[in-house]
Amino acid sequence: MVSNSSRATPKILVDADSCPVKDIIIKAAGDTGTPVVLVASISHLISCDNEDVQVITVDNVPQAADMAVINHTDAGDIVVTGDYGLASLALARGAIPVSSRGFVFTSDNIDRLLLQRHIDVKIRRGGGRTKGPKALTEADRQSFERVLRKLVKQQARNNLDILQGDNPPEG
């Protein structure tokens, strides 16, 4: 059994290949001292001068970034992604996945989203067309920042409660 005192501080993991809100994540994390891990493929080479931000570069093969994100994900972490499959895996790990628009993926909505993705793929394979995502607006960016700061604060408070022993151990 792992002791409560060895539990790591929740971190923010980012599927960074196409993440349009990395700047918001880094600023919000810096304001709260939350560690950030940016994961991107070699074709989306990312550099960051912030020493509190870890950058992981993976091969340019399908799902490599997703697998690196999930392999570094612990319960209580925040995972920023627009990928429903990665969001589903993050939920299974006990993490909180959130989109760059501030939409929080939950066990109540992920099955419907995965089903819709499957239907859309079938339509496109059959020669049909489906709508893509709308352009990210300033309102979307503000919504994301609001949600992210709330989640970071909530996770930090949960971690502090565990470290102080306010939650009795299960079993």
Side-chain angles (χ1 to χ4, degrees), residues 2 5 14 21-22 44 69 85 90 92 95 112 116-117 139 144 150 169:
V2 176
S5 62
V14 184
V21 290
K22 290 185 284 290
H44 294 94
V69 168
R112 176 184 54 80
Q116 186 60 54
R117 180 181 75 170
F144 172 77
K150 180 179 176 184

Side-chain angles (χ1 to χ4, degrees), residues 96-117:
I96 302 169
V98 60
S99 77
S100 58
R101 296 176 192 274
F103 178 81
V104 178
F105 299 96
T106 67
S107 58
D108 292 333
N109 63 31
I110 196 66
D111 288 338
R112 176 184 54 80
L113 295 168
L114 289 168
L115 177 61
Q116 186 60 54
R117 180 181 75 170

